[in-house]
Amino acid sequence: MGSLTDRVALITGAGLGIGRGIARRYAAEGAAIVVAERDVAAGERCVADLGREFGARAEFIATDVGVKEQVLAAVELAASRFGRLDVLVNNAWGGGAIGRVEKKSDAQMEHGIRVGLMSAFWAMQAAFPHMQRRGWGRIVNICSLNGVNAHMGTLEYNTAKEAQRALTRTAAREWARYGICANVICPAAATTAYAAFFKANPETASAMAAANPMGRMGDPEKDIAGVALFLASEDCRYLTGNTLFVDGGSHINGVAWAPELPD
């Protein structure tokens, strides 16, 4: 019996990186998984792997989290296919270009808010009645040190993720009486997005890793997903409204994030 046996988890952006790592850890602990992913090939591959490696019940649904109807459809799939929804992980992000505050467009900011804040809001609202009805629920929102430390060049991402932290704390306060715990992870992980950044900015990325007290970026499955597993479990019954920095200690003194930004 795993710690998530008979639980049902919906994970956005589960085809790659941290989302995939969390899906694998949850599946290994007995959860049924709904993989909500925009990249169809990655999502279908993740579901196939969960079934083959862990014998997990898993479903894929193509989901652009910037589209409300698709987010609601993912929640409905979990409830209709498995009869319940116990754990919601808001992890997906839609990408963005690095640039100075004064260069950011309305479209960039609106995109960031939709995929980084509104998507979590929509999913949480839709998941709430399923969790409330059972008197048990876990919400794990993946935010970022970028927002906490106000890293340069990523305004829309920073803004959306800090707003998502406020959303999480407010929901934690209001929903605690229903047995719903809502928490945030701010990770430092070697994800697909990090690999792309490293390729484009090798010196900055190397400096970031070197400044980490543990001297490396985390592994999505081995270093990040275990904390997400705890936050989804019964052991998290008295922890809510918190932000856990799963970052090798990067948050202690801050990690340099100073890419070259054109004037």
Side-chain angles (χ1 to χ4, degrees):
M1 294 286 288
S3 63
L4 295 184
T5 297
D6 295 329
R7 300 296 188 191
V8 175
L10 165 61
I11 306 169
T12 68
L16 299 166
I18 291 172
R20 182 176 184 274
I22 293 173
R24 291 176 60 81
R25 286 300 297 271
Y26 284 9
E29 290 294 324
I33 309 293
V34 173
V35 173
E37 169 63 55
R38 184 175 62 176
D39 184 328
V40 173
E44 291 180 339
R45 183 167 57 248
C46 180
V47 164
D49 290 346
L50 297 180
R52 184 181 65 255
E53 296 182 41
F54 307 108
R57 297 175 297 156
E59 294 283 341
F60 165 70
I61 181 168
T63 308
D64 179 343
V65 297
V67 179
K68 181 178 182 179
E69 292 75 16
Q70 294 187 26
V71 174
L72 300 184
V75 173
E76 177 57 29
L77 174 65
S80 61
R81 174 65 178 84
F82 299 114
R84 59 195 292 171
L85 177 56
D86 303 293
V87 182
L88 170 65
V89 180
N90 288 301
N91 165 75
W93 170 251
I98 291 177
R100 293 186 179 277
V101 171
E102 66 271 21
K103 301 289 186 179
K104 294 291 183 177
S105 67
D106 287 358
Q108 287 175 307
M109 291 300 296
E110 289 166 1
H111 172 75
I113 294 299
R114 285 187 73 82
V115 301
L117 172 62
M118 296 307 295
S119 64
F121 169 66
W122 297 326
M124 289 166 65
Q125 276 197 330
F128 172 71
H130 301 287
M131 296 178 177
Q132 180 193 34
R133 186 162 52 247
R134 292 183 175 275
W136 199 98
R138 300 290 184 265
I139 296 166
V140 183
N141 287 337
I142 308 301
C143 292
S144 178
L145 286 170
N146 279 42
V148 176
N149 294 336
H151 288 169
M152 294 171 59
T154 54
L155 174 66
E156 65 271 38
Y157 181 68
N158 302 1
T159 302
K161 290 301 186 179
E162 283 297 273
Q164 190 181 124
R165 287 211 303 146
L167 166 65
T168 309
R169 293 195 303 275
T170 305
R173 178 65 182 88
E174 294 185 11
W175 295 350
R177 60 179 172 156
Y178 303 118
I180 299 171
C181 298
N183 292 287
V184 166
I185 292 176
C186 286
T191 63
T192 304
Y194 174 79
F197 175 78
F198 188 96
K199 183 176 181 180
N201 305 272
E203 293 184 2
T204 299
S206 295
M208 287 169 57
N212 186 299
M214 292 191 177
R216 64 180 178 85
M217 299 297 284
D219 178 89
E221 185 173 352
K222 296 178 181 178
D223 294 319
I224 312 301
V227 178
L229 174 60
F230 162 69
L231 293 179
S233 73
E234 181 62 27
D235 289 336
C236 185
R237 59 183 291 164
Y238 203 56
L239 177 70
T240 195
N242 275 274
T243 296
L244 302 185
F245 296 98
V246 189
D247 62 357
S250 294
H251 70 283
I252 298 170
N253 295 314
V255 172
W257 173 276
E260 292 295 326
L261 301 177
D263 292 326

